[in-house]
Amino acid sequence: MAGQRVEVDGGIMEGGGQILRVSTALSCVLGLPLRVQKIRAGRSTPGLRPQHLSGLEMIRDLCDGQLEGAEIGSTEIMFTPEKIKGGIHTADTKTAGSVCLLMQVSMPCVLFAASASELRLKGGTNAEMAPQIDYTTMVFKPIVEKFGFKFNCDIKMRGYYPKGGGEVIVRMSPVKQLNPINLTDRGSVTKIYGRAFVAGVLPFKVAKDMAAAAVRCIRKEIRDLYVNIQPVQEPKDQAFGNGNGIIIIAETSTGCLFAGSSLGKRGVNADKVGIEAAEMLLANLRHGGAVDEYLQDQLIIFMALACGVSRIKTGPVTLHTQTAIHFAEQLAKAKFSVKKSEDEEDASKDTYIIECRGIGMTNPYL
């Protein structure tokens, strides 16, 4: 099975952990031996961080592969995948490294495994620079399941910066093939809802203030919809450490989902956190796309592997998405095109159609 090793430059484009996630996931699924160089070359702390390392080790374990050069700070790894088995696997970042990013790298692999998988992912559930777990369950999950699979995501413990300590259990069964998706019809916004949470020592008032400020901000622009943001005190036995944050979702008549979210930091007042999330949501609603900017890049790898033509309508194409497309084309040989949307109502907006002819990956073990 092992052919020529594919060489990946981890320093180009987005130049961070995402290149590692996309390329190792594709390497595992396609059975391509891989070498990634210049890992996170441009970052303030270059090379592998704990969350990247734990993701790589989990992928290695999933497929009984070989991994060389995998240590903290390493800027080059070699990965030789074998048969993807499924079963129970644990990845622990031992930091606030995001469990959602661990899920991103492992999900394509377990879809093409020989049997069902249970992934025990430990780290930060609501961490900076990554999707919050609520985004994963409320937005990513219902949309990605349109590719024709289901997964179960059980939040055992929430964990926050800087300690982490969260745990999420993901269970899923393999598929024979993925269906293509078409997310081009945006529809009209029918509801807006969310949750504003506090955990640990933070007073409940902080959650109420975040929610109220977010509602006020949305009301200025969208007057005719009830905005339902629940303030939540995370139960002591389900949250490790202290944290606060908010996620707000807008749902449309055609089932599209958009989000805005924000996390509290020491010294930032609650209103500001709520307003930041509301403004992010409103910005995602203005561009006329059918997916928000965070879902955009997460769908690329599935589009590349699916059987048939997938199309998504998006706002401005992010660097993360361009990066995912580049490596999906290089490794999987999928064909993508990105064109400005030609619909009349999009003429004044920055709206694009990302189209992909997927490779129709078939699970060899089913």
Side-chain angles (χ1 to χ4, degrees):
M1 182 145 146
Q4 190 66 36
R5 211 172 268 287
V6 178
E7 300 280 339
V8 162
D9 181 344
I12 61 170
M13 302 178 80
E14 181 269 340
Q18 189 209 9
I19 295 178
L20 199 63
R21 287 190 291 278
V22 171
S23 55
T24 42
L26 286 170
S27 153
C28 183
V29 169
L30 301 164
L32 291 171
L34 180 71
R35 178 188 355 218
V36 187
Q37 295 171 299
K38 300 186 192 151
I39 295 168
R40 301 182 65 259
R43 296 298 196 256
S44 53
T45 46
L48 295 175
R49 305 301 304 142
Q51 67 265 32
H52 307 115
L53 186 57
S54 50
L56 284 174
E57 289 171 343
M58 179 170 57
I59 299 294
R60 175 198 63 200
D61 297 346
L62 271 172
C63 72
D64 267 338
Q66 289 165 331
L67 184 57
E68 296 160 59
E71 51 202 60
I72 305 287
S74 167
T75 56
E76 183 176 327
I77 58 123
M78 302 245 275
F79 175 56
T80 312
E82 298 291 336
K83 175 180 172 176
I84 310 173
K85 304 188 304 282
I88 298 176
H89 298 275
T90 300
D92 186 353
T93 66
K94 308 222 173 23
T95 63
S98 164
V99 295
C100 303
L101 297 180
L102 292 174
M103 208 183 300
Q104 261 180 38
V105 65
S106 52
M107 194 171 281
C109 305
V110 295
L111 280 174
F112 292 96
S115 61
S117 304
E118 179 176 303
L119 308 175
R120 300 180 175 176
L121 310 176
K122 300 179 183 179
T125 56
N126 300 75
E128 282 294 337
M129 306 299 294
Q132 295 192 41
I133 191 65
D134 309 271
Y135 182 90
T136 300
T137 57
M138 294 161 83
V139 179
F140 173 75
K141 182 180 190 293
I143 303 290
V144 85
E145 286 181 342
K146 293 179 191 285
F147 285 102
F149 64 91
K150 289 261 182 281
F151 71 96
N152 178 283
C153 183
D154 184 8
I155 305 169
K156 289 276 179 231
M157 179 68 77
R158 287 169 176 272
Y160 311 96
Y161 184 81
K163 289 203 191 90
E167 181 176 16
V168 172
I169 297 181
V170 177
R171 296 183 186 85
M172 61 197 295
S173 295
V175 291
K176 186 70 191 161
Q177 249 186 349
L178 294 175
N179 306 327
I181 58 164
N182 188 339
L183 295 174
T184 51
D185 180 7
R186 148 82 174 261
S188 52
V189 178
T190 52
K191 32 178 155 146
I192 297 179
Y193 52 90
R195 75 194 294 271
F197 69 86
V198 290
V201 299
L202 294 163
F204 185 55
K205 180 181 181 327
V206 169
K208 290 196 285 205
D209 289 350
M210 287 188 295
V215 170
R216 284 196 304 273
C217 182
I218 292 167
R219 279 274 155 71
K220 286 186 199 146
E221 203 154 318
I222 302 176
R223 291 191 183 79
D224 47 352
L225 275 182
Y226 174 62
V227 181
N228 179 17
I229 303 174
Q230 293 301 142
V232 182
Q233 171 80 56
E234 301 290 10
K236 287 270 185 280
D237 58 348
Q238 286 165 35
F240 183 81
N242 308 312
N244 67 299
I246 180 170
I247 179 164
I248 318 164
I249 313 265
E251 195 174 307
T252 75
S253 52
T254 54
C256 296
L257 296 163
F258 299 83
S261 64
S262 181
L263 287 167
K265 294 183 206 52
R266 190 162 287 166
V268 175
N269 82 11
D271 286 25
K272 197 167 166 209
V273 181
I275 290 164
E276 185 176 66
E279 284 178 343
M280 185 192 291
L281 175 66
L282 292 168
N284 268 314
L285 289 173
R286 281 183 208 118
H287 60 54
V291 300
D292 68 28
E293 61 179 313
Y294 299 102
L295 198 56
Q296 222 184 73
D297 64 289
Q298 295 185 63
L299 298 177
I300 298 299
I301 191 167
F302 300 100
M303 291 166 74
L305 294 169
C307 179
V309 176
S310 290
R311 305 174 77 223
I312 60 175
K313 185 191 275 196
T314 73
V317 178
T318 64
L319 182 57
H320 270 97
T321 298
Q322 290 165 6
T323 305
I325 289 173
H326 176 86
F327 290 100
E329 289 189 325
Q330 184 192 338
L331 295 163
K333 307 289 185 250
K335 290 278 175 277
F336 282 85
S337 72
V338 180
K339 297 195 173 78
K340 198 121 170 50
S341 169
E342 286 165 6
D343 292 357
E344 291 80 62
E345 70 265 27
D346 299 332
S348 60
K349 300 193 183 104
D350 224 0
T351 316
Y352 297 83
I353 301 281
I354 302 174
E355 191 171 292
C356 172
R357 180 168 293 284
I359 62 169
M361 177 71 194
T362 309
N363 188 326
Y365 313 114
L366 290 190

